[in-house]
Amino acid sequence: MSTDCPFLSDVLLLGDGELSFERAVTVEAHLAVCPSCAATEELLFRVESVALREADLGAIDAALARLDDPVVETGWTPWLVAACALLALGFFAPRPVPTREPAVARGGSDTVEVAAHEDQAQETARVATEPGGTDRFALPPPHRRRIDVQELLAGETSVELVAAQVRGGGLAASASLVSLLASDDDRVRQRALEVARRADDAVVVEGLVERVTTVGDRGAWDVLADLSARGTESALGLGLDDERRAAALAALERVGTTEARDEVVAHARSATATEFAHALETLRRLDPRTALRVLVEQDQDPEWRPVIVGVVRSDPEHWLPALHEAVRRGDVLVARAACEVLAAHGDTRSTDALADAVARRGLRDAALAALVELGGESAWRIAARQVARRPALATHFDGAEAAGGALARGVETWSDVPLATLIELLGRCGGEESFAALDRLIASGLQSSALPTALARAGGEDAVARLVDLLDQPRLGPAAVEALGVLPVGRVVPELLRRFDDDRRSRIHEALVRIAGQDLGRERADWTAWWNDRG
Amino acid sequence: MNEGARPVDHETTLVGRAQGGDASAFASLVRGVGPALERFALRLLGDPHEAQDVTQDAILEAWRGIGGFRGEARFGTWLHRILLSRSYDRLRRRRPTTELSDALADDLAHDGDGPAREASAREFEELVRSRIDRLPPTQRATLLLRLDQGLSYQEIAYVLGSTRNAVRMNLVAARKRLAEELRPHVDLGGGGA
């Protein structure tokens, strides 16, 4: 690398798009005439294309799970003081005389006695008012009673108590809790939700879903989201049929919380194709940016591509501009994925966005491949110019063969790109279309010495017959000899030996050395003997 | 950075809710930048366990300090700033270590009498990462913020607590060094000098 070039610093910054327009134009022009800077720029492009990788350390979930930790919360000092005080009180308080009664859990001014065994709990849940536990009473078994509203409203302890009752399997209690979830009295409804959050009971969950789907009850949704976060399944995967799931999605949209959005994301990622489209549509209305991310992530799976086509085509006026914005300004990994989506599902407007993305370092490959795949005169010309400016791209990026196709279509009409450059690039890109285009150029009588080499590169063994035909042409013959020497194909040797005369001795000798991997000298007889010995 | 009005509004709403103590809003903000944050930590520190710790610490510090966030940058940029500060603490405590990938570079550089052998795609990828890991921390952070996050120079300056010009200089220095170190291992076709 030339460290003396005064342009080097700006060459290193060109891909960032932060140079002034005038300076960027000057630097671009400089790249065309300075091989050293062009090579450095190309090298950086490759380096920065491979520098990224995904990481999933699990740190995000772990950190978020700790947000409720008192010492993490804002202003945690008072919590700590209070906790210390409670600990101290607990330590110095008179200890109750041990009895044979169930274990006691303390909370606030009330105390809930929770049986050590669940079946015992059903029979012996007790409440005592502090201090002294003088006002104790025993609950009857849960299946014998419904929830008493006054009891429910009595205090925090009653919530725990009723939740224990519901957990105990009392169908009547569960059913009555479900009815309380729909109470007109806000206070009763809030209490019922608190019980539902603690009870985690199947009947109650069904009731919560009912509330969400029928009236868009945000509180019910919060409880559902909380329960599903604790467990393993999405709240939308709680055994709903299609109709009810659709209703639940609509309800989530009405609820509109971040938990609701996260739930839709989780559902979309595990949904069937039909459900995916529906979930994504909901998500799009809730949070367009997240919806786009989910869309491009899903497109990475080839089996999902037809589904993505359907989604994009269902509303191109939304999805295409969103994808265009992503390739222009989204973070690099999303932008790359968006390029792939546009390659398959874009329209003519996508060409401009992809052309802009070509200038973003780290995106050039993806954008270029997308342009080529997207096709159309404009897209192909942009792709061809990029390849013409950086020949190494032709052998480096995944869309090289398709780029060859683009070049092949433009080779006879694009007067702004030198023909010799196009021919060389066709050779580098390879593929059937490149080969056919080169073959057409030869057939047209074009006498470019670049043609045989390009043909050999593009066609490999398929080019042998054509190149042998060219051996006797005065202008293309010498280049054809060189091109045959590049191909590791033994059957060209007799053709070369037949032409081992004074005029072409030097070139044919070089070609034979390359093919044989050894130098037998400049005499035809020695090479003929070697060939015959090989049988 | 030039962003559409809708995402910014959405973020502003979430920040407001998080400042009011809404942990779910904060979680939503964090999840929006989470993958990028983890990538950044991992590339900066190299060690997954350290990166995990630092990412968690940064998120929790952000939660504690969300009340002081005045929207002078995007939430994600602000979070990266916190993470970078935490990462620097770790890096300062580290002893220099020998890079395992040096062996790979040596192998590529001295394989035979001719010029350095061209690296295979996988080798090259590994080599690039190892060379980025060996950049001085500020250069490395600057490069990663530009490359991975696509932050503008101004935003990078905010994360680093630096200036736009310093960001430019760091990027030039980092890329120049990478180009010099990796050039022997790359075939640039006809474009090489």
Side-chain angles (χ1 to χ4, degrees), chain A residues 23-45:
Chain A
R23 185 61 180 163
V25 170
T26 307
V27 175
E28 285 269 1
H30 172 73
L31 284 176
V33 297
C34 178
S36 171
C37 283
T40 302
E41 209 257 347
E42 177 58 35
L43 172 63
L44 273 181
F45 162 64

Side-chain angles (χ1 to χ4, degrees), chain A residues 1 12 16 18 35 46 48 50 52-53 57-59 61 72 258-259 261 289 329 332-333 361, chain B residues 2-3 14 24 28 31 38-39 43 52 60 64 129 146-147 152-153 164 175 180 187 191:
Chain A
M1 179 174 63
L12 294 171
D16 294 336
E18 298 229 5
R46 286 208 214 164
E48 298 188 354
V50 303
L52 309 178
R53 67 178 153 193
L57 304 173
D61 287 337
V72 170
T258 49
E259 293 87 350
R261 188 202 62 183
R289 199 156 53 164
R329 277 179 274 275
V332 173
L333 293 173
R361 186 165 280 144
Chain B
N2 206 357
E3 284 201 277
L14 289 176
S24 67
S28 183
R31 288 195 195 286
E38 288 190 323
R39 279 202 304 274
R43 301 300 303 133
Q52 192 177 27
L60 296 176
R64 286 193 291 266
R129 286 178 181 144
R146 174 64 218 161
L147 265 186
S152 68
Y153 290 178
R164 198 174 176 280
R175 285 170 172 159
E180 283 168 356
D187 172 20

Side-chain angles (χ1 to χ4, degrees), chain B residues 30-190:
Chain B
V30 170
R31 288 195 195 286
V33 296
L37 198 70
E38 288 190 323
R39 279 202 304 274
F40 182 55
L42 183 60
R43 301 300 303 133
L44 199 59
L45 294 164
D47 179 88
H49 299 296
E50 275 196 306
Q52 192 177 27
D53 288 349
V54 164
T55 307
Q56 284 194 47
D57 289 350
I59 292 169
L60 296 176
E61 189 173 328
W63 174 235
R64 286 193 291 266
I66 187 73
F69 177 55
R70 293 285 167 262
E72 62 272 28
R74 289 184 305 169
F75 174 80
T77 311
W78 179 67
L79 193 50
H80 275 85
R81 180 175 168 138
I82 295 171
L83 183 132
L84 185 69
S85 166
R86 290 277 182 162
S87 301
Y88 276 168
D89 291 343
R90 296 262 179 165
L91 290 168
R92 271 194 286 272
R93 290 201 295 268
R94 263 191 201 170
R95 291 181 178 177
T97 55
T98 306
E99 294 287 338
L100 287 175
S101 51
D102 281 354
L104 174 62
D106 288 346
D107 174 46
L108 292 169
H110 304 299
D111 191 13
D113 297 330
R117 156 168 88 83
E118 189 191 354
S120 72
R122 184 177 290 274
E123 288 170 339
F124 182 63
E125 200 173 310
E126 189 54 42
L127 202 56
V128 167
R129 286 178 181 144
S130 77
R131 288 299 177 263
I132 290 178
D133 290 348
R134 285 162 49 141
L135 290 171
T138 304
Q139 286 181 22
R140 186 159 76 239
T142 308
L143 189 69
L144 292 171
L145 287 167
R146 174 64 218 161
L147 265 186
D148 189 16
Q149 318 295 309
L151 296 191
S152 68
Y153 290 178
Q154 197 62 48
E155 287 173 309
I156 297 171
Y158 170 81
V159 174
L160 297 173
S162 174
T163 65
R164 198 174 176 280
N165 204 36
V167 169
R168 274 177 61 102
M169 289 166 64
N170 275 323
L171 282 173
V172 168
R175 285 170 172 159
K176 201 166 160 183
R177 182 166 164 172
L178 285 176
E180 283 168 356
E181 292 188 354
L182 294 166
R183 189 176 177 76
H185 308 292
V186 181
D187 172 20
L188 291 171

Side-chain angles (χ1 to χ4, degrees), chain A residues 478-503:
Chain A
V481 172
E482 284 185 13
L484 284 170
V486 173
L487 297 171
V489 183
R491 63 191 164 92
V492 306
V493 173
E495 299 292 345
L496 293 174
L497 289 175
R498 198 174 305 138
R499 294 163 175 84
F500 206 144
D501 52 29
D502 289 342
D503 292 343

